[in-house]
Short mmCIF file of all heavy atoms in Angstrom, two decimals:
data_model
loop_
_atom_site.label_atom_id
_atom_site.label_comp_id
_atom_site.label_asym_id
_atom_site.label_seq_id
_atom_site.Cartn_x
_atom_site.Cartn_y
_atom_site.Cartn_z
N ARG A 77 -7.68 -2.85 -9.52
CA ARG A 77 -8.05 -3.72 -8.36
C ARG A 77 -8.45 -2.76 -7.20
O ARG A 77 -7.98 -1.66 -7.03
CB ARG A 77 -6.89 -4.55 -7.94
CG ARG A 77 -6.21 -5.30 -9.09
CD ARG A 77 -7.11 -6.31 -9.75
NE ARG A 77 -7.60 -7.36 -8.83
CZ ARG A 77 -6.87 -8.41 -8.44
NH1 ARG A 77 -5.63 -8.60 -8.90
NH2 ARG A 77 -7.37 -9.29 -7.61
N MET A 83 -8.28 -2.95 8.31
CA MET A 83 -9.37 -3.89 8.66
C MET A 83 -9.10 -4.44 10.05
O MET A 83 -7.96 -4.32 10.59
CB MET A 83 -9.48 -5.03 7.67
CG MET A 83 -8.22 -5.92 7.65
SD MET A 83 -8.39 -7.36 6.65
CE MET A 83 -7.17 -8.41 7.57
N HIS A 84 -10.05 -5.13 10.63
CA HIS A 84 -9.89 -5.87 11.90
C HIS A 84 -9.44 -7.30 11.53
O HIS A 84 -9.56 -7.69 10.40
CB HIS A 84 -11.16 -5.86 12.71
CG HIS A 84 -10.94 -6.22 14.14
ND1 HIS A 84 -10.95 -7.52 14.57
CD2 HIS A 84 -10.67 -5.45 15.22
CE1 HIS A 84 -10.69 -7.56 15.86
NE2 HIS A 84 -10.53 -6.30 16.24
N TRP A 85 -8.89 -7.98 12.54
CA TRP A 85 -8.42 -9.35 12.20
C TRP A 85 -9.55 -10.40 12.45
O TRP A 85 -9.40 -11.50 11.93
CB TRP A 85 -7.20 -9.69 13.05
CG TRP A 85 -7.34 -9.53 14.52
CD1 TRP A 85 -7.94 -10.48 15.35
CD2 TRP A 85 -6.90 -8.44 15.33
NE1 TRP A 85 -7.89 -9.95 16.65
CE2 TRP A 85 -7.27 -8.73 16.69
CE3 TRP A 85 -6.27 -7.26 15.03
CZ2 TRP A 85 -6.98 -7.86 17.71
CZ3 TRP A 85 -5.99 -6.36 16.09
CH2 TRP A 85 -6.36 -6.68 17.39
N GLU A 86 -10.58 -10.06 13.23
CA GLU A 86 -11.62 -11.08 13.44
C GLU A 86 -12.62 -11.03 12.32
O GLU A 86 -12.81 -10.00 11.67
CB GLU A 86 -12.35 -10.72 14.76
CG GLU A 86 -11.54 -10.91 16.00
CD GLU A 86 -11.27 -12.41 16.35
OE1 GLU A 86 -11.83 -13.25 15.72
OE2 GLU A 86 -10.43 -12.62 17.26
N ASP A 87 -13.30 -12.16 12.11
CA ASP A 87 -14.31 -12.24 11.04
C ASP A 87 -15.58 -11.49 11.41
O ASP A 87 -16.27 -10.95 10.53
CB ASP A 87 -14.75 -13.71 10.83
CG ASP A 87 -13.70 -14.51 10.12
OD1 ASP A 87 -12.60 -13.97 9.93
OD2 ASP A 87 -13.91 -15.71 9.81
N CYS A 88 -15.93 -11.47 12.65
CA CYS A 88 -17.13 -10.73 13.12
C CYS A 88 -17.04 -10.62 14.63
O CYS A 88 -16.19 -11.25 15.22
CB CYS A 88 -18.44 -11.43 12.71
SG CYS A 88 -18.54 -13.14 13.26
N ILE A 95 -14.21 -3.13 10.57
CA ILE A 95 -14.64 -3.79 9.32
C ILE A 95 -13.73 -5.07 9.28
O ILE A 95 -12.54 -5.01 9.54
CB ILE A 95 -14.35 -2.94 8.10
CG1 ILE A 95 -14.98 -1.55 8.21
CG2 ILE A 95 -14.71 -3.63 6.81
CD1 ILE A 95 -16.49 -1.54 7.91
N SER A 96 -14.41 -6.20 8.90
CA SER A 96 -13.70 -7.45 8.94
C SER A 96 -13.21 -7.92 7.59
O SER A 96 -13.69 -7.37 6.53
CB SER A 96 -14.61 -8.61 9.51
OG SER A 96 -15.53 -8.94 8.57
N PRO A 97 -12.26 -8.89 7.52
CA PRO A 97 -11.81 -9.41 6.22
C PRO A 97 -12.96 -9.95 5.37
O PRO A 97 -12.98 -9.57 4.16
CB PRO A 97 -10.82 -10.52 6.61
CG PRO A 97 -10.37 -10.14 8.01
CD PRO A 97 -11.51 -9.43 8.68
N PRO A 98 -13.93 -10.77 5.86
CA PRO A 98 -14.94 -11.18 4.98
C PRO A 98 -15.80 -10.04 4.41
O PRO A 98 -16.31 -10.16 3.32
CB PRO A 98 -15.84 -12.13 5.87
CG PRO A 98 -14.89 -12.53 6.95
CD PRO A 98 -13.96 -11.37 7.19
N MET A 99 -15.92 -9.01 5.20
CA MET A 99 -16.71 -7.84 4.73
C MET A 99 -16.02 -7.22 3.52
O MET A 99 -16.66 -6.78 2.54
CB MET A 99 -16.92 -6.83 5.83
CG MET A 99 -17.84 -7.30 6.93
SD MET A 99 -17.80 -6.16 8.32
CE MET A 99 -18.90 -7.01 9.48
N LEU A 100 -14.68 -7.17 3.58
CA LEU A 100 -13.95 -6.63 2.45
C LEU A 100 -14.05 -7.53 1.22
O LEU A 100 -14.25 -6.99 0.11
CB LEU A 100 -12.44 -6.36 2.88
CG LEU A 100 -12.21 -5.34 3.96
CD1 LEU A 100 -10.69 -5.23 4.24
CD2 LEU A 100 -12.80 -3.95 3.63
N VAL A 101 -13.90 -8.79 1.49
CA VAL A 101 -13.97 -9.75 0.38
C VAL A 101 -15.37 -9.61 -0.28
O VAL A 101 -15.45 -9.66 -1.55
CB VAL A 101 -13.77 -11.18 0.91
CG1 VAL A 101 -14.10 -12.22 -0.19
CG2 VAL A 101 -12.31 -11.38 1.37
N ASP A 102 -16.39 -9.44 0.49
CA ASP A 102 -17.78 -9.25 0.02
C ASP A 102 -17.90 -8.12 -0.90
O ASP A 102 -18.68 -8.11 -1.90
CB ASP A 102 -18.70 -9.12 1.24
CG ASP A 102 -20.15 -8.96 0.84
OD1 ASP A 102 -20.62 -9.73 0.00
OD2 ASP A 102 -20.80 -8.04 1.39
N LEU A 103 -17.08 -7.09 -0.71
CA LEU A 103 -17.11 -5.87 -1.57
C LEU A 103 -16.23 -5.97 -2.80
O LEU A 103 -16.06 -4.99 -3.56
CB LEU A 103 -16.73 -4.66 -0.72
CG LEU A 103 -17.73 -4.17 0.31
CD1 LEU A 103 -17.10 -3.13 1.23
CD2 LEU A 103 -18.98 -3.62 -0.36
N GLY A 104 -15.54 -7.09 -2.92
CA GLY A 104 -14.68 -7.29 -4.07
C GLY A 104 -13.27 -6.70 -3.85
O GLY A 104 -12.47 -6.48 -4.77
N VAL A 105 -12.91 -6.51 -2.61
CA VAL A 105 -11.60 -5.98 -2.23
C VAL A 105 -10.54 -7.09 -2.42
O VAL A 105 -10.74 -8.24 -2.05
CB VAL A 105 -11.57 -5.47 -0.77
CG1 VAL A 105 -10.14 -5.17 -0.25
CG2 VAL A 105 -12.45 -4.23 -0.68
N ALA A 106 -9.41 -6.69 -3.02
CA ALA A 106 -8.31 -7.66 -3.29
C ALA A 106 -7.07 -7.39 -2.39
O ALA A 106 -6.34 -8.27 -2.09
CB ALA A 106 -7.95 -7.65 -4.72
N TYR A 107 -6.86 -6.10 -2.07
CA TYR A 107 -5.69 -5.65 -1.29
C TYR A 107 -6.18 -4.94 -0.02
O TYR A 107 -7.19 -4.33 -0.04
CB TYR A 107 -4.89 -4.67 -2.13
CG TYR A 107 -4.08 -5.29 -3.23
CD1 TYR A 107 -4.65 -5.53 -4.51
CD2 TYR A 107 -2.73 -5.65 -3.09
CE1 TYR A 107 -3.93 -6.04 -5.55
CE2 TYR A 107 -2.01 -6.18 -4.17
CZ TYR A 107 -2.58 -6.36 -5.34
OH TYR A 107 -1.88 -6.91 -6.38
N VAL A 108 -5.30 -4.95 0.97
CA VAL A 108 -5.62 -4.18 2.17
C VAL A 108 -4.26 -3.63 2.73
O VAL A 108 -3.33 -4.37 2.93
CB VAL A 108 -6.44 -4.94 3.23
CG1 VAL A 108 -5.72 -6.24 3.66
CG2 VAL A 108 -6.74 -4.05 4.44
N LEU A 110 -2.07 -2.39 5.59
CA LEU A 110 -1.97 -2.69 7.02
C LEU A 110 -0.80 -2.04 7.65
O LEU A 110 0.29 -2.01 7.08
CB LEU A 110 -1.92 -4.24 7.28
CG LEU A 110 -3.15 -4.99 6.76
CD1 LEU A 110 -2.84 -6.55 6.90
CD2 LEU A 110 -4.43 -4.61 7.40
N ARG A 128 -1.48 -9.75 13.50
CA ARG A 128 -2.81 -10.45 13.45
C ARG A 128 -3.57 -10.12 12.17
O ARG A 128 -4.16 -11.02 11.56
CB ARG A 128 -3.70 -10.03 14.61
CG ARG A 128 -3.22 -10.57 15.96
CD ARG A 128 -4.02 -9.83 17.05
NE ARG A 128 -3.53 -10.14 18.35
CZ ARG A 128 -4.27 -10.81 19.24
NH1 ARG A 128 -5.51 -11.24 18.94
NH2 ARG A 128 -3.78 -11.08 20.44
N LYS A 129 -3.51 -8.88 11.77
CA LYS A 129 -4.23 -8.44 10.57
C LYS A 129 -3.63 -9.07 9.33
O LYS A 129 -4.30 -9.44 8.42
CB LYS A 129 -4.25 -6.92 10.48
CG LYS A 129 -5.03 -6.24 11.53
CD LYS A 129 -4.95 -4.73 11.43
CE LYS A 129 -5.79 -4.09 12.58
NZ LYS A 129 -6.03 -2.67 12.37
N THR A 130 -2.28 -9.13 9.30
CA THR A 130 -1.59 -9.73 8.17
C THR A 130 -1.99 -11.18 7.99
O THR A 130 -2.33 -11.59 6.86
CB THR A 130 -0.06 -9.56 8.31
OG1 THR A 130 0.20 -8.17 8.49
CG2 THR A 130 0.66 -10.08 7.11
N ALA A 131 -2.00 -11.90 9.06
CA ALA A 131 -2.34 -13.34 8.99
C ALA A 131 -3.80 -13.49 8.60
O ALA A 131 -4.14 -14.33 7.80
CB ALA A 131 -2.07 -14.01 10.34
N ALA A 132 -4.69 -12.64 9.13
CA ALA A 132 -6.10 -12.68 8.78
C ALA A 132 -6.36 -12.39 7.29
O ALA A 132 -7.15 -13.03 6.65
CB ALA A 132 -6.92 -11.75 9.66
N ALA A 133 -5.61 -11.38 6.76
CA ALA A 133 -5.79 -11.01 5.34
C ALA A 133 -5.45 -12.20 4.50
O ALA A 133 -6.22 -12.60 3.64
CB ALA A 133 -4.93 -9.78 5.03
N LEU A 134 -4.35 -12.79 4.76
CA LEU A 134 -3.88 -13.97 3.98
C LEU A 134 -4.86 -15.10 4.07
O LEU A 134 -5.20 -15.77 3.09
CB LEU A 134 -2.45 -14.44 4.42
CG LEU A 134 -1.29 -13.48 4.09
CD1 LEU A 134 -0.07 -13.84 4.82
CD2 LEU A 134 -1.08 -13.47 2.57
N ALA A 135 -5.39 -15.33 5.25
CA ALA A 135 -6.37 -16.44 5.48
C ALA A 135 -7.58 -16.23 4.62
O ALA A 135 -8.31 -17.20 4.28
CB ALA A 135 -6.71 -16.57 6.91
N HIS A 136 -7.94 -14.98 4.31
CA HIS A 136 -9.13 -14.66 3.54
C HIS A 136 -8.84 -14.38 2.06
O HIS A 136 -9.68 -13.92 1.36
CB HIS A 136 -9.88 -13.54 4.18
CG HIS A 136 -10.55 -13.95 5.47
ND1 HIS A 136 -11.81 -14.61 5.49
CD2 HIS A 136 -10.14 -13.85 6.78
CE1 HIS A 136 -12.12 -14.83 6.73
NE2 HIS A 136 -11.15 -14.41 7.53
N GLY A 137 -7.61 -14.62 1.65
CA GLY A 137 -7.27 -14.44 0.26
C GLY A 137 -7.07 -12.98 -0.14
O GLY A 137 -7.05 -12.61 -1.34
N LEU A 138 -6.96 -12.10 0.86
CA LEU A 138 -6.67 -10.68 0.59
C LEU A 138 -5.12 -10.50 0.56
O LEU A 138 -4.41 -11.17 1.32
CB LEU A 138 -7.19 -9.78 1.69
CG LEU A 138 -8.71 -9.70 1.85
CD1 LEU A 138 -9.18 -9.19 3.21
CD2 LEU A 138 -9.29 -8.83 0.74
N THR A 139 -4.62 -9.64 -0.30
CA THR A 139 -3.20 -9.39 -0.36
C THR A 139 -2.90 -8.21 0.62
O THR A 139 -3.33 -7.10 0.33
CB THR A 139 -2.74 -9.02 -1.76
OG1 THR A 139 -2.97 -10.15 -2.58
CG2 THR A 139 -1.22 -8.75 -1.79
N PRO A 140 -2.16 -8.46 1.71
CA PRO A 140 -1.81 -7.38 2.60
C PRO A 140 -0.69 -6.54 1.98
O PRO A 140 0.23 -7.04 1.45
CB PRO A 140 -1.35 -8.03 3.86
CG PRO A 140 -1.10 -9.46 3.54
CD PRO A 140 -1.63 -9.76 2.19
N LEU A 171 4.53 -16.74 10.06
CA LEU A 171 4.05 -17.09 8.74
C LEU A 171 5.00 -17.98 8.01
O LEU A 171 6.21 -17.73 8.03
CB LEU A 171 3.76 -15.88 7.88
CG LEU A 171 2.68 -14.92 8.33
CD1 LEU A 171 2.65 -13.71 7.42
CD2 LEU A 171 1.31 -15.61 8.24
N ALA A 175 3.58 -18.24 2.50
CA ALA A 175 2.64 -17.18 2.73
C ALA A 175 3.30 -15.80 2.69
O ALA A 175 2.70 -14.83 2.14
CB ALA A 175 1.97 -17.36 4.07
N LYS A 178 3.44 -14.07 -0.60
CA LYS A 178 2.20 -13.49 -1.18
C LYS A 178 1.88 -12.03 -0.69
O LYS A 178 0.93 -11.43 -1.07
CB LYS A 178 1.00 -14.41 -0.76
CG LYS A 178 1.07 -15.75 -1.37
CD LYS A 178 -0.28 -16.47 -1.11
CE LYS A 178 -0.22 -17.85 -1.72
NZ LYS A 178 -0.69 -18.88 -0.79
#
Side-chain angles (χ1 to χ4, degrees):
R77 313 294 301 279
M83 64 171 208
H84 197 272
W85 56 81
E86 293 289 350
D87 286 6
C88 57
I95 304 283
S96 77
M99 291 169 182
L100 295 182
V101 170
D102 179 46
L103 288 169
V105 169
Y107 286 85
V108 57
L110 298 176
R128 288 168 187 247
K129 292 177 181 193
T130 302
L134 290 167
H136 288 277
L138 294 160
T139 299
L171 291 175
K178 295 191 181 132

